[in-house]
Amino acid sequence: MLKKTITYVDYNGVERTEDFYFNLSKAEIAEMELEIPGGMAALIERITKTKDTPSLVKMFKDLILRAYGEKSDDGKRFVKSKELRDGFEQTEAYSELFMELASNADAASAFINGITPKVDSKKITAKAE
């Protein structure tokens, strides 16, 4: 899970600094891999090789909004819904985040690494053996 602190100016002209949460579960990653022929890595490779910027922007927007949610107070749930995603997308915080990730490859990489599940290398090694 990634907690991202974003400073933005709201539509009343008030500067705000708020924490936003992003996460993709193992199940969500698996679903995304199955939805795309060849998986996410193959899609990214195709897009970058063909310099298909509109597709890359669309994919990035989808990734941000799929990962957005609100953590329950007890930490047991990470709540996601269309209403929550739409609400976040309608803020300048979304716009600030999108522009940061679109213009800074290091920030984009850190974001993707932060929202994806941590892999237990010992379990992977044991399965391989």
Side-chain angles (χ1 to χ4, degrees):
M1 173 170 298
L2 175 69
K3 178 176 98 171
K4 183 85 172 146
T5 303
I6 303 172
T7 300
Y8 65 100
V9 177
D10 72 14
Y11 296 111
N12 288 326
V14 177
E15 183 175 280
R16 299 177 177 269
T17 299
E18 297 179 40
D19 292 332
F20 297 91
Y21 294 89
F22 303 87
N23 188 63
L24 292 173
S25 68
K26 292 176 186 174
E28 288 170 319
I29 296 289
E31 287 175 21
M32 290 171 71
E33 283 292 318
L34 295 171
E35 287 174 2
I36 301 166
M40 287 279 295
L43 174 65
I44 292 168
E45 186 176 336
R46 284 193 304 272
I47 290 170
T48 53
K49 279 186 179 179
T50 62
K51 310 254 190 271
D52 186 358
T53 305
S55 292
L56 188 58
V57 168
K58 182 180 175 186
M59 184 186 72
F60 219 29
K61 177 180 178 176
D62 182 58
L63 193 61
I64 292 169
L65 295 176
R66 277 187 193 228
Y68 176 75
E70 294 180 2
K71 187 171 56 160
S72 66
D73 290 336
D74 62 9
K76 291 182 180 180
R77 299 181 306 129
F78 190 65
V79 182
K80 295 181 181 182
S81 70
K82 181 177 179 359
E83 292 78 20
L84 288 175
R85 280 189 300 277
D86 287 350
F88 175 65
E89 185 179 11
Q90 294 165 8
T91 68
E92 281 299 306
Y94 166 77
S95 182
E96 290 290 330
L97 176 61
F98 184 87
M99 294 307 296
E100 175 189 1
L101 301 182
S103 63
N104 182 328
D106 291 336
S109 178
F111 180 82
I112 291 169
N113 288 331
I115 66 172
T116 53
K118 304 300 178 250
V119 178
D120 185 343
S121 59
K122 291 180 183 178
K123 286 182 181 177
I124 292 172
T125 305
K127 285 181 181 180
E129 291 174 352

